[in-house]
Amino acid sequence: TDRTSNLYNAELINKTNNGCLLSDHPEQFCKHIITLLEQPEIYQQQVAYAQQAFESDYEQEACYQKLDELFKL
């Protein structure tokens, strides 16, 4: 299954298991949406991935820590 998109996934810090089901193809993207609507366990897994990605990559403290590492503070 095409769960990533070369076009849009480049902007994401975490390229996999991030809660985003993307595709460069509209038909595949449509299938992702239908899967989320019809399979609650997959929907819940994607929710968990998104929460984890946010907490590890985008929360304020995580951003500060990454900036500190980048600038060697």
Side-chain angles (χ1 to χ4, degrees):
T1 303
D2 176 20
R3 291 193 177 203
T4 63
S5 166
N6 293 329
L7 181 61
Y8 300 108
N9 205 24
E11 299 299 322
L12 298 172
I13 295 171
N14 180 0
K15 306 294 186 209
T16 60
N17 297 334
N18 56 25
C20 295
L21 298 179
L22 305 172
S23 178
D24 291 325
H25 308 285
E27 299 83 11
Q28 186 60 43
F29 185 69
C30 180
K31 288 179 183 180
H32 290 326
I33 293 170
I34 291 169
T35 298
L36 293 174
L37 292 171
E38 292 180 345
Q39 298 183 37
E41 66 281 355
I42 292 177
Y43 171 80
Q44 289 300 324
Q45 182 62 59
Q46 293 305 311
V47 167
Y49 285 151
Q51 289 173 330
Q52 182 179 11
F54 177 81
E55 290 169 0
S56 66
D57 296 327
Y58 301 103
E59 266 192 338
Q60 185 176 6
E61 190 59 37
C63 289
Y64 288 157
Q65 184 176 14
K66 287 177 183 168
L67 288 170
D68 286 349
E69 290 171 11
L70 178 68
F71 294 113
K72 306 201 185 308
L73 298 176

